[in-house]
Every structure is written in C-alpha cells, then in structure tokens.
Amino acid sequence: MLRTALRNVFAHKARLLMTVLAVMLGVAFVSGTLVFTSTISDAYTKSSEQGFDHVDVRLQPDEDADEGRPGDPPPLTQDLLDRAAALPGVKSATGNVAGFAALADKDGDLVGDGWSTSGANYYPGTGDGGRGEDPRYPMQDGRGPENANEIAIDAKTAERTGYEVGDTPRMSVDGPVLEPTITGVFTTDDGNVAAGGSLVLFDTKTAQDLFTKPGEYTEIDLAAAPGTSEKQLRAEAQKILPAESEALTGTKLADDQAREIEQGMDGLRTAMLAFAGIALFVGIFLIANTFTMLVAQRTKELALLRAVGASRRQVTRSVLFEAVAVGTVAALAGLAAGAGIGAGLRSLMGATGQTVPDGPLIVSPSTVIVSLVVGIVVTVLAAWLPARRAAKIPPVAAMSSVHAQASTRSLVVRNVIGAVIAGGGALMVVAGTTADDGKALMGGGAAVLLIGIFVLTPLLSRPLIALSAPLLRMFGVSGKLARQNAVRNPRRTAATASALMIGLTLITGLTVIGSGISNAIDKMATDAMKADYSVSMSNFTPLSPEVEKKLSELDEVTASSPLRTVPVAIGGDEEDLTAVKGEAVGQLLELDFAEGSFDGLAEGVPAGGGAAKAIVDDDTAEDEGWKMGDTIEVTYQDGAKGALTVSGIYHGNEMIKGIMLDTSVVNSHVDKITDFEVWLKTEGGESGAMKDKLEAALGDNPAIAVMNEEDVSEAIAGLISMMLNILYAMLGMAVLVAVLGVINTLAMSVFERSQEIGMLRAIGLDRRAVKRMVRLESLVISLFGGVLGIGLGVFLGWAAGELISSSLDTYSLVLPWERMGYFLAGAALVGMLAALWPARRASRLNMLAAIKSE
C-alpha cells in the first residue's frame, strides 16, 4: 500500500502541484516570520550587548520608586558623580545626559525616523590618560564639541547626509532652530544608530542646558578597576545612592534590553503568525478539495484494491501516505522560501530607511521543526476526511459509480447542522456587543459563525448563483452551462468559494472597523477644536515654551494657548493636570459643558491665597464624587500643597479629558516648563499663506508640525490607511491561496468533464465558447465567495464597532462603499485570472479523445 501511495503521488504530479503551492505558501509565511524575527532579535541583542561594553555599573533614576512625589524621579547630580568617581574599585565615572535631538539633512528633511534621533553629551573623562577624549565615541574625523555652537555626529549619519566637519546643519531639540558647526564625526556601536537613527553629541554643559539642568545627569556609568567585579562595584555604589535611584550592572542592563527586544519581537511575531495561520486555514479547503477530487477520480482503482484484499484502514492509510509525501515536499519548499522571505523582509526594511544592525540570517532548529510539523500536519488533517470517505465506499458501489452524488439526506443533515452552528455563532456575536467583556464572546462567535456559513455554503450556493442567471443569459449557451456547472457539485463550489470568503470577510471587517475608528477620532479631534492651527513636535516630544511665545507675537495671531501636562498627587494617586491660557482657551476649544464654563480660569490663584478655579470632565467628576464648587486638594511636583475649586464640568472624550486649569497656577511648581502642543487662532482663518508664515517664523523647522484641521484629519486617515494596508498585504497571502484553490478546482473539474466537453465540441460549441464557459463558471464562483465574504465582513465589522462605541463615544458605523466595490471587483478579477489556464486547457482538448475517455 505504501508503494501504491507513492506511485499515485508521482502519477498525479500536475494535479497535486496547486496543493503543494498552497501548503508551501502557508509554511513559507510561518518560517519567514520566524526567520525574520529571530534575525532582527539576534541583531539587536548583540548590538545592545556591545553598547554596554564600557559599563560595569549604571546609576539611574528609579522609575518604579514610590516616594509620594508626583512626576518623574529627579535627575542625578554632580555631587553624586564626584562621590561615585571616588568609590573603591572605580576606574572611571561618566555622567550621561540624553534627550531628543532632530537633525535635518541638506534638503531640510528630518534624518532618521524621529523616535531614534537622539542627542547626548561628549564627556572627556579622567580614565583616558587626560587626552580630553570620550572613549565611548572614538573620533573618525575632527574633535569633540567644546561649546554651545559645536556638535559631533555619528559616521553613519554623516554618510547618509553627506555632512562633513565644518558644515552647519539645521537642528532642533524642543522647537527653536539651532545651527551649530560640526567639529567631529565619530563611530559608535549604539543600537539606535545601527538601526537607522542618528546621534548628535554636545559638550556636557550645553547638553545639560538642553535636556536637564546645569549640574544634572540622566545616568552615571561606572567602569570597574582591574580586580573589581560588577557585583562588588554595585554594592559600593548602593551605599551612596540617593532616594528614587538604583544601581544596575552592565550585564543586567544588557539582559533587560535583550528581553525588551524579544518582547517587542513577540508582538510582531504573533501578528505575522496569525496571518500565516489564516493562510494555512484557507489552504485546508484547497487541500481537502484536491484530495476529494483525486479520490473520486480513483474510486474504481481503490475499489479494486478493496476487492483484492485491502482493508478500509489500508485504503485510508494509503491516501494519508500521499498527504504525508505532499506535505513533506511542500514543507521543505516552504522552509527554503521562508528563509528567502526573512532575508527579503530585512532587505526591505533597509530599502525603506529602517535599517537594522548587521548580523547573520538566523534559521534556528525550532524554525525547521515547526515548518515541517506545520506543513505535514495541515496536509494530513485536510486529507483525512476524503481518505475516510474513500475507505467507506463499498467495492461494488464504487465499480458502478452509484456513490458519486451525495444523497439528499446527507445534504439535509449538513444544512440543519450548518444552520444551527451559524445561528449560534450569530447569537454569540450579537450578545458580545452588549456584554461587559464581550471581546472573547464575540471572537468565539465570529469563528463559530464562519464555520456555520461554510457548512451552509452548498445550500446558499444555489439561490445566490441563481441571481446571476439574467446576466449569464447574455452569454448564450456558455453562460447557461457555466451556471449549471457552478451548482452541479455544491460541496466543491462551497469549498472553493469559502476559501475566498474567509479572506474577504477579514479584509472587509477590518476596513469597516478602520473606517469607523478613523471617522470617530477625526470627529473627536476636530469637533472640539476651534483653533485654526495645532503646533507640536513631529514625534510628540515636549515643545519649548519659546514656540508659543514667538508665535503669539505675530500680528496675524489673535489668540494662542499652550497645552501643558503637569503631574500632581490627588488623594495619594498621581494624576495629570492640563494647563492652558485661561483667557484664550474659550476661543480655541469647544467643550460641551454640563455646568459652568471657562470663565474664571484666567484668574489664577487669588491674590490673598486660596483655591484656583479648574474645570473637570464629567466621567472624572462622577468617579471622584466632585460637584460644582467642590475643593480639590493637590500636591505639586515640588512638594507644595494647593487647592482647586471646580468651576465647570464638561463632557470629555479620549482626546480631551481630566482637570484643566490656567498655566499661571502650575508654572512655579514644575522643574522645567514644556508644552505638549500649541493652539493658534489667526486673523482671517487658516490659509496656505498663513501656514507658510507660521512655519517661517519657526525657522522652517522639520521637527515641528504645523497642522490645520484638514492636516489633522489627513494624519489620522493616513495612520489608519497605513495600518490597513499592512493588514491587506498580510491577508493577501490568504487570498493568493484562495486563487490557487479556484485554479485547482477548475482544472480538476475540466479533467472530470473531459467527455462532456468533447461532446459539446462535437455538437458545435467552439473553442471560444468553451473558454467563455469555464471563465464564467470561475467568475460566478468567485463572486459568490466575494458576496458572502463582504456580507459577513460588514456584519462582524458592525458588531465589533458596537463594542468599540461603548468606550469611544464618537464611533459610528461607516460603510466604505467604494472600497467594498473594489473588493467585489477584486473577487471578479480573481475569478477571471484563475480561469485562464483551465479555460485554455479545456478549449484545447481533442474532442474525439475526450469523448472516448472515461
């Protein structure tokens, strides 16, 4: 039986090719994901290890410390650095200052991707022989910066931008444009630089002025003297640690960073594997279809094996042996293709500017094992039902082909089961829209609904395909035959259409949800905004108060206000206050007040002391039990106590909520005044000329975004579209597998109907009409799957939207008719393309040979 199974595999190579391709694509996606994420993770991990080569112990603020003080822990001081340098076993002590620094290239565009464009201090330490050099940043050309008008840049940034020593690039740290001179180009093993970011070095005093305060550091690195271990040095350092600080060894820092990298890769890996799973699930329909048709074509052969003594179990095993052979070949091919995909994705990141540290391609043993197991198991599982069905056919019935058509009873049983499953799934989905935690219930219901619809698809195929009859009549005999062929074998049509249905269900559902969220966020952001412009850093880092001051001095600006976030403690819990200009905020922001108004915010703290006025959103007021006129006791960042009186309660949303008060109340209590955003009202409203003038006033700074209402809407829509396009690309694998399924079904259908096609040719149907018949059959099946998929996608998108609307007030159902039209047209295109080869094959059949075939 084993030899028979292998002979059948080699005898039907062409027929099994599509199955091999389907499994290969799914496995390639799985192995490619594992190779890509392992390669990136390994590269970043090794880069992070190199980044801590010069660090044995690091002193840093403890973000998790709870000292009852709101805000971030305080930076480290010069006094601590001096005491650390004098500790036993310390070879050198380096004070680090770091923050965001945006560098523009020669075309005025921001270098790097924003988040990894950083700045730090060049620290000529005492452990380098007194040469005045920082051993962390060896100079490739020139020297380190020595004053506020000098910087050094990393060698990779210099290579990308073409900057050299002596150039004066434009840059920004928190808003105002700086134009320092490049005095040096250095090399570094910093992971962010290796990954495509940029690093700008300032002298220590300038870095402190820009990022902290004079005499303060963000970190202190200690190098151990010979004979001193990391643990010994850490124990000494802990003796001098101030409150809200911690000492970590270089090994611990490298391990923590490697763990963070791995966790970051986990999310990407999980998402990509989920889409690979979808592609494999769709491939199951193709595999099952293929083996069903192969078994049906070999029914007499299997019956003969039964007649000469083969048992049912042996027949089943012979088919499963074929599946193992096919799965093994497909898995090995998929593994090889996956390695190529992993390398390609890494190269693609480089081509888009998101480069990663250098490192080898990682194909781990676990990747090989997973790929083989996935390919073989999926193929065998898909082939099990056709194998079992083949073994159950009595030899006499098989010889006379009385088994060929499914009985009416079996279809009735299938329809009843399908109706029950689909109904139960739909009820679960609807129930999930009102449940307290409906995500799991809705997700489970969606899966059950899809299974139920798949079971019901043979029943649905007849009425839905019948709707195409008026259109198909336009194509005469070819159209009529195409419709009849499409419903001749409902189970096969169902399996073929279901593969396409699943892909389009997910694509349509995601599009409906994405459109609704985009509309909700847009409505949330723009409905409350009366300002003509919003100004912020392009990567949403803190903005200098000088920006608002400079813009407010323009004659065309009629009202302006910064938006500042200030941490305070209320009742032992840390909260963030929103500080604005009380006298201007009413002209810039539209809030729906339940009680009170903006009036009184600009008064600040009363002259004789007392409570300043503040407004609060209704949800916060309800949670805290606050009412109009109530007093809120607060503790500011500097430890000072204060009081606020509730003078207004407004309806908030995810964009604007919490406690809002005047900037004058909090400015004296924060370590460093920074803005998150600036709102502007201009004379005559927004215009292209006004926007240009605002940008010019800020020195055409590439790190600052000046946006009107339309820009805000486009930014939101662009972000949602980018996410959807990524999801479309990943789901495209499932659609590609579905296309292979359509091709495979049509090709085998043509083979099965060879005699019939030969007879049609003999009585006058020409080659063109035969091609048209096969194409129309493919078109009808694809549109059937497309209509089901889009309908299910809209239903699931609506249900998910109902769940989202419970936490996002502005959410409403938005049906993207244009995109859904594209999806339906895409399904039609799939049908036409999939039919090219089968239609050509059918038209070229020799009619006499076909008539004589069995």
Side-chain angles (χ1 to χ4, degrees), residues 648-685:
I649 298 176
Y650 66 92
H651 180 63
N653 56 43
E654 293 299 315
M655 303 284 285
I656 300 174
K657 61 181 179 180
I659 303 170
M660 192 177 296
L661 72 173
D662 191 72
T663 53
S664 63
V665 179
V666 298
N667 283 350
S668 60
H669 300 295
V670 295
D671 295 335
K672 184 177 182 180
I673 297 175
T674 58
D675 299 333
F676 177 72
E677 194 175 359
V678 172
W679 295 325
L680 302 173
K681 192 78 174 174
T682 56
E683 199 174 77

Side-chain angles (χ1 to χ4, degrees), residues 566-613:
V566 181
V568 298
I570 299 177
D573 296 326
E574 186 169 329
E575 302 284 347
D576 285 331
L577 305 182
T578 300
V580 295
K581 270 189 183 178
E583 72 272 13
V585 69
Q587 304 175 57
L588 303 166
L589 196 61
E590 183 82 58
L591 293 182
D592 180 16
F593 279 92
E595 297 180 83
S597 66
F598 287 118
D599 294 344
L601 283 192
E603 297 172 5
V605 179
K613 291 183 179 179

Side-chain angles (χ1 to χ4, degrees), residues 209-421:
D209 290 339
L210 293 172
F211 302 130
T212 57
K213 287 182 178 179
E216 292 184 345
Y217 299 92
T218 52
E219 299 162 346
I220 294 175
D221 289 341
L222 305 180
T228 303
S229 68
E230 286 184 340
K231 289 184 179 180
Q232 291 173 329
L233 187 57
R234 179 174 179 270
E236 292 293 334
Q238 285 181 316
K239 297 176 183 177
I240 63 169
L241 276 181
E244 298 184 74
S245 300
E246 60 182 345
L248 301 175
T249 64
T251 301
K252 178 72 163 57
L253 290 167
D255 290 344
D256 288 347
Q257 187 159 333
R259 193 177 302 111
E260 289 176 7
I261 292 167
E262 185 63 27
Q263 289 173 350
M265 289 293 108
D266 280 345
L268 177 63
R269 185 184 296 115
T270 301
M272 293 180 70
L273 287 176
F275 288 102
I278 293 167
L280 283 168
F281 182 66
V282 172
I284 287 174
F285 294 102
L286 192 162
I287 300 164
N289 237 9
T290 301
F291 277 92
T292 298
M293 287 185 277
L294 286 175
V295 168
Q297 291 167 15
R298 295 193 347 246
T299 300
K300 291 186 179 181
E301 175 189 324
L302 295 175
L304 183 59
L305 289 173
R306 289 290 310 281
V308 297
S311 66
R312 286 186 176 183
R313 185 173 295 177
Q314 285 178 313
V315 170
T316 301
R317 279 205 300 257
S318 72
V319 178
L320 293 181
F321 281 145
E322 293 181 46
V324 169
V326 170
T328 302
V329 171
L332 290 172
L335 177 61
I341 289 174
L345 287 174
R346 178 172 174 168
S347 298
L348 181 63
M349 289 184 69
T352 57
Q354 300 177 351
T355 54
V356 296
D358 295 332
L361 194 69
I362 305 297
V363 183
S364 65
S366 61
T367 299
V368 176
I369 293 170
V370 168
S371 300
L372 289 173
V373 169
V374 167
I376 295 171
V377 169
V378 166
T379 308
V380 171
L381 285 177
W384 178 79
L385 190 60
R388 187 168 174 270
R389 192 181 297 145
K392 282 187 172 183
I393 301 171
V396 175
M399 290 292 188
S400 57
S401 299
V402 297
H403 69 287
Q405 295 298 323
S407 66
T408 303
R409 181 176 176 276
S410 68
L411 289 175
V412 170
V413 171
R414 175 173 177 149
N415 293 338
V416 171
I417 294 173
V420 171
I421 296 174

